[in-house]
Amino acid sequence: MKALMIAFAVISTLCLADVEAFCAEPLKFGVAAMISPQETVKYYDQIIDYVGKKLGRPVEMVQKRTYEETDRLLESGELKLAFVCSGPYVMDKEKFGVELLVAPQSYGEPFYYAYIITHRSSKIRNLAGLKGKSFAFTDPKSNTGKLAPTYMIGKSFNLPPEKFFSKIIYTRTHDKAIEAVAKKIVAGASVDSLIYNYAASKNPRFTSQTKVIAKSPRYGIPPIVTRGDLDPVLKARLRNIFLTMHEDPEGREILAGIKVDRFVVPKDADYDSVREMERWLRKNMK
């Protein structure tokens, strides 16, 4: 009994001392399956494990298939931070006040593009050539996988995608969209330039069967966001862990695996081009 009381006292003292590694609830970190379930688990899990180790408390990855599911968990407070797409960031900031934490910098800049792709043997040379053809979007809330191509079609042809293409499918992930074009399931698709370039360098099985026929203007890269009510001290610690990750050998190796140079602090203005597309579409494509 005496030993039990001593053990209880030690545990209580540790908790009162706020030793997070021993007592803290897991910090839930949301990740939508942007590449594919396998790729997301493999690489993002490494980042989350790294953050947990540096933070000194358990960090749990909460993986969802769509941006909508991740958004709902952020809004409800079940998630305190998450990797999100640029489009959901803009909408979530307006709706319930998410805040930018950090964003990856890849190929020397914190920006990315929408690539419109077709099969390499196709005679289609530009976006106009896809009129009346089948097309793949990724996620309904994806910037490069839905919003950007919808805007490009609307601005150029004054038509919504449903009237421009003969058929539209949703692949949920960018790698599946690339595969759908490579296998000629659809005539074209719009995909994230970062994921396309990553796949081309790591495993070009499907990218080698495709070609890029159009490229969007640049957009602020998909960021890591937090809820506005996240503890400021915890938020500062998290930001520092990400910003210094490239300086640590272990962190640098993880980043190299996903073609990320480093994490940087993005500017909200980097996402103004996404806001402009959404405003234009709401006004002109009702």
Side-chain angles (χ1 to χ4, degrees):
M1 177 62 74
K2 184 176 180 180
L4 184 61
M5 291 179 66
I6 292 172
F8 180 78
V10 170
I11 293 173
S12 298
T13 300
L14 288 171
C15 288
L16 289 172
D18 193 30
V19 180
E20 293 178 325
F22 193 86
C23 307
E25 288 289 323
L27 179 64
K28 293 185 178 180
F29 201 139
V31 177
M34 294 177 288
I35 302 176
S36 72
Q38 294 78 18
E39 290 290 326
T40 301
V41 169
K42 180 179 178 180
Y43 293 109
Y44 286 90
D45 199 35
Q46 289 179 10
I47 293 176
I48 289 168
D49 286 346
Y50 177 86
V51 170
K53 183 164 61 175
K54 294 295 183 180
L55 194 61
R57 65 179 287 183
V59 178
E60 175 186 336
M61 181 169 71
V62 179
Q63 186 190 21
K64 295 298 178 182
R65 291 181 62 250
T66 68
Y67 292 118
E68 178 65 31
E69 293 173 283
T70 302
D71 287 350
R72 285 201 301 264
L73 294 179
L74 269 173
E75 185 174 10
S76 70
E78 186 172 338
L79 292 176
K80 292 298 185 182
L81 70 163
F83 285 98
V84 298
C85 188
S86 305
Y89 161 66
V90 167
M91 290 183 281
D92 292 349
K93 180 176 175 60
E94 181 179 339
K95 187 177 181 182
F96 57 94
V98 298
E99 299 176 357
L100 291 168
L101 182 70
V102 294
Q105 175 179 292
S106 295
Y107 305 101
E109 59 178 9
F111 300 100
Y112 74 134
Y113 308 84
Y115 283 171
I116 307 298
I117 63 172
T118 61
H119 196 273
R120 72 175 185 179
S121 65
S122 171
K123 295 182 180 179
I124 297 170
R125 295 290 179 264
N126 51 43
L127 190 58
L130 283 166
K131 187 175 182 181
K133 308 294 185 182
S134 56
F135 198 80
F137 288 138
T138 56
D139 184 281
K141 282 193 169 185
S142 172
N143 180 45
T144 54
K146 174 66 187 298
L147 179 62
T150 299
Y151 175 79
M152 292 164 72
I153 293 163
K155 286 283 281 187
S156 298
F157 308 102
N158 197 34
L159 288 172
E162 294 75 16
K163 293 184 178 181
F164 184 80
F165 299 116
S166 62
K167 183 178 80 169
I168 293 171
I169 67 170
Y170 284 88
T171 61
R172 296 299 176 187
T173 65
H174 292 271
D175 65 333
K176 292 297 183 183
I178 297 167
E179 182 178 348
V181 174
K183 292 182 175 180
K184 297 185 178 181
I185 296 170
V186 291
S190 182
V191 297
D192 181 321
S193 64
L194 298 173
I195 294 173
Y196 186 90
N197 293 336
Y198 171 87
S201 66
K202 287 282 188 175
N203 183 4
R205 176 185 175 192
F206 295 123
T207 55
S208 65
Q209 298 301 310
T210 69
K211 61 185 178 184
V212 177
I213 59 167
K215 178 180 174 182
S216 74
R218 70 181 191 178
Y219 307 115
I221 206 165
I224 298 175
V225 301
T226 69
R227 282 182 53 85
D229 59 1
L230 183 68
D231 176 66
V233 175
L234 176 57
K235 183 175 180 178
R237 290 183 63 193
L238 285 166
R239 176 173 283 144
N240 184 64
I241 290 169
F242 280 109
L243 293 180
T244 58
M245 192 171 175
H246 66 288
E247 299 172 358
D248 175 70
E250 180 185 357
R252 190 160 54 246
E253 182 177 352
I254 295 171
L255 294 177
I258 52 173
K259 303 295 182 180
V260 170
D261 307 328
R262 58 183 295 180
F263 282 98
V264 298
V265 179
K267 300 175 182 177
D268 180 68
D270 291 344
Y271 302 90
D272 283 349
S273 57
V274 178
R275 293 186 177 95
E276 176 55 33
M277 288 193 297
E278 290 183 341
R279 282 194 292 265
W280 189 90
L281 288 169
R282 282 197 296 265
K283 180 180 178 181
N284 297 281
M285 292 285 116
K286 295 179 181 179

